[in-house]
Amino acid sequence: MLPISSVSGKVTPFNESLFTATSAVCVTGLVVHDTGSYWSIFGQAIILLLIQIGGLGVVTVAASFALLSGRKISLMQRCTMQEAIAAPKVGGIVRLTGFILKATLIFELSGAVIMMPAFCKNFGAKGIWFAVFHSISAFCNAGFDILGTESLQYVSLTQFENSISINLAVILLIIIGGIGFLTWEDIYTNKLHFKQYRMQSKVILITSAVLVIIPALYFFFFDFTNLPIKQRILPSLFQSVTTRTAGFNTVDLTALREPSIAIMIVLMIIGGSPGSTAGGIKTTTAAVLIANALATFSRKDSAHFFKRRIDNQVVKNAATILIMYLILSFTGAIAISTVEKMPFLNCLFETSSAIGTVGLTLGLTPELSLFSQLILIVLMFCGRVGGLTLIYAAISNTKKNMSKFPLERITVG
C-alpha cells in the first residue's frame, strides 16, 4: 500500500493491495492493476519476492534460512519439510532441500541469461530486470509480467510471439518448475534411465507429456489456422504449457473459440505436479482417477501403474480433491456471473484460473466488484494451500473410531 510501491506515488487501496499480494504469494498472476505500468520498481521487487516465496513454499524458504544460519533442524521441522515438498521419507530431507535451492538458482539464472538478449534489444538496460523478473515468474509458474501498459493490460508476452528464445525459455521454465522437486532429483540421480525412476516420477512425466502434446495439437489444427504452418508451432505449444498454472500468454485469449476456452479450463484445474511450484489438483490426481476408471472398466480390484497397485485411500483422496475444486470453481463462477451479470463461461475461466493458481484471464478481473474480488482471493488461497490441507486443519479428528456401520449396496451409473 506504500506510496513508494506505485508509479503515481499514491497509496494503493487495501483491497487492491491484498488481491495483488495474494495473487503473488499464491503464484497465480491475476491482477487488478497492470504490474508493469502501475507498480514501481520497488513494488515489482516486493511482488517478485512474494512470487519466489510462494513458488518454493513458505516451509522450504524458512528451512533455507535455517540451513544458511547453520542451525540444527529438529525432527518435527524435518517432518514438516517432508509434507511441504511431498517427500517419501524424512531421511535426507535437509540434503534434498539444499538440492532444491541450488537447482532453483541455476534454472532461474539460466532462464534470465537466455531471455536477456531479446529483452535488452527491445528495452535497453531495463531488459536485465525484465529477464530476471520473467525468469523467476515463469519458473514459479506465477504468470506475472511487467511488459503491459495501463491501456493494454493483457499484452503479456504477445509482442514476443515469434521469439524462439523467449518462448522456449519460458516453456522450459514452466515445465521444469511444474514437474516437482522430487522428479528433478530422480532425473538428476538416475539420468535418462527411466526404468529406475520412482513410480510417481514416471506417472508425472508421462501425464505431463500427454497434457502438453494433445492440447498443443488441438490448438495447432483448430485455433491458429490463420497462420502459416511454421508459425503455428510456438503459439500452440506455448498455450498448451502456460495453462498448466503458469499464466503467460502470447496470443489474445479472447479471440480463441469456446471449445479451446473449455480445454484451457480443464488444463488449469489439472495444473502441475505435487511438490512443485504449480497449483491445480495435480497431474498425479488426474492420473489416479483415470487409472481407477480403467480398472473399473476392466473389472479389476484396484488401480495400478507400472505393476504397482494404488492404495484405495489415495483414490478416495483424489476423488475428494477433484470434487472440491469443481464445487469451488463452479460456485464461484455462478456467484460472480450472477452479481456482475457476465457470461458464465468467462466467469468460470476466471475462477478456474484462480483456484488453479494460473493467472490467465479473459479481461474480467479488473472490472470486478469488491465482492467478486474477494471470491477470487479465497479461491487463490485455497488453490495454493490445498483443499485437503484446509479441511484437515479445520476439522481435527483425533479420535479414531474403529467401528463400522452395516454394509448395504447402492446402484451408481
Side-chain angles (χ1 to χ4, degrees):
M1 291 177 64
L2 295 174
I4 193 176
S5 295
S6 63
V7 173
S8 63
K10 297 179 180 178
V11 174
T12 304
F14 175 75
N15 64 294
E16 296 174 359
S17 300
L18 176 64
F19 190 98
T20 304
T22 305
S23 183
V25 83
C26 294
V27 289
T28 304
L30 290 175
V31 293
V32 289
H33 290 296
D34 176 66
T35 311
S37 59
Y38 182 85
W39 302 103
S40 64
I41 295 295
F42 178 81
Q44 292 173 12
I46 296 298
I47 290 171
L48 193 62
L49 178 63
L50 291 174
I51 289 171
Q52 187 71 84
I53 293 172
L56 289 177
V58 176
V59 175
T60 306
V61 173
S64 66
F65 279 110
L67 289 172
L68 292 172
S69 63
R71 283 178 19 219
K72 290 186 177 180
I73 299 177
S74 66
L75 181 60
M76 182 180 292
Q77 290 171 325
R78 290 168 190 259
C79 290
T80 306
M81 291 163 62
Q82 178 197 6
E83 290 290 328
I85 60 178
K89 58 184 180 180
V90 177
I93 198 70
V94 175
R95 181 191 59 78
L96 179 59
T97 303
F99 170 78
I100 290 169
L101 294 174
K102 290 176 185 176
T104 298
L105 182 62
I106 292 170
F107 288 134
E108 290 178 348
L109 281 176
S110 300
V113 169
I114 294 171
M115 289 189 280
M116 207 172 289
F119 281 129
C120 288
K121 181 181 178 181
N122 283 47
F123 304 104
K126 282 186 179 180
I128 299 173
W129 171 242
F130 283 17
V132 171
F133 189 99
H134 290 91
S135 179
I136 295 175
S137 183
F139 178 79
C140 292
N141 280 225
F144 277 85
D145 72 88
I146 51 176
L147 299 175
T149 62
E150 202 64 54
S151 60
L152 187 59
Q153 293 191 23
Y154 302 103
V155 65
S156 191
L157 298 175
T158 51
Q159 59 186 299
F160 295 100
E161 179 183 358
N162 298 315
S163 172
I164 295 176
S165 61
I166 297 291
N167 275 262
L168 290 183
V170 172
I171 286 171
L172 289 174
L173 286 168
I174 292 169
I175 292 173
I176 292 169
I179 61 174
F181 304 137
L182 289 176
T183 309
W184 301 354
E185 190 199 32
D186 236 351
I187 296 171
Y188 177 77
T189 304
N190 299 304
K191 303 300 184 286
L192 298 178
H193 302 292
F194 186 77
K195 291 183 178 180
Q196 296 178 15
Y197 292 177
R198 298 183 188 94
M199 184 264 285
Q200 176 168 302
S201 298
K202 294 177 183 177
V203 172
I204 287 172
L205 291 172
I206 291 176
T207 307
S208 298
V210 170
L211 291 173
V212 168
I213 294 170
I214 293 179
L217 290 174
Y218 181 88
F219 295 141
F220 181 88
F221 286 109
F222 297 102
D223 266 299
F224 303 115
T225 51
N226 59 320
L227 298 174
I229 291 179
K230 288 184 179 180
Q231 293 182 18
R232 294 187 207 174
I233 298 173
L234 280 179
S236 299
L237 185 61
F238 193 96
Q239 306 322 309
S240 178
V241 172
T242 193
T243 46
R244 307 277 308 294
T245 85
F248 293 107
N249 61 287
T250 55
V251 297
D252 180 11
L253 298 181
T254 58
L256 297 179
R257 301 176 310 117
E258 286 192 352
S260 300
I261 297 295
I263 289 173
M264 295 179 84
I265 289 173
V266 173
L267 292 174
M268 289 191 295
I269 289 177
I270 293 174
S273 303
S276 72
T277 62
I281 66 171
K282 304 295 186 291
T283 53
T284 47
T285 303
V288 165
L289 292 173
I290 292 172
N292 186 61
L294 293 175
T296 303
F297 296 154
S298 56
R299 296 182 179 274
K300 292 179 180 177
D301 292 334
S302 59
H304 65 274
F305 296 113
F306 302 101
K307 299 182 180 179
R308 293 292 186 272
R309 182 168 50 88
I310 305 300
D311 184 44
N312 286 333
Q313 184 60 47
V314 174
V315 178
K316 286 170 62 179
N317 288 346
T320 303
I321 292 168
L322 176 62
I323 292 297
M324 284 184 59
Y325 271 69
L326 290 178
I327 289 174
L328 288 171
S329 56
F330 271 82
T331 303
I334 290 170
I336 292 175
S337 180
T338 303
V339 172
E340 308 291 344
K341 294 180 173 54
M342 292 179 173
F344 174 74
L345 184 63
N346 291 6
C347 295
L348 182 61
F349 189 93
E350 302 291 312
T351 56
S352 299
S353 180
I355 198 167
T357 69
V358 182
L360 289 175
T361 178
L362 296 178
L364 271 63
T365 302
E367 302 175 11
L368 298 179
S369 64
L370 177 59
F371 173 77
S372 299
Q373 287 181 13
L374 288 174
I375 290 176
L376 292 183
I377 287 173
V378 172
L379 290 177
M380 287 189 289
F381 185 79
C382 291
R384 189 56 187 158
V385 174
L388 286 181
T389 303
L390 289 173
I391 289 177
Y392 292 156
I395 306 172
S396 179
N397 187 16
T398 53
K399 296 180 181 178
K400 203 159 187 177
N401 193 350
M402 301 303 292
S403 62
K404 295 182 179 180
F405 289 112
L407 182 68
E408 188 166 339
R409 291 185 176 278
I410 184 171
T411 302
V412 295

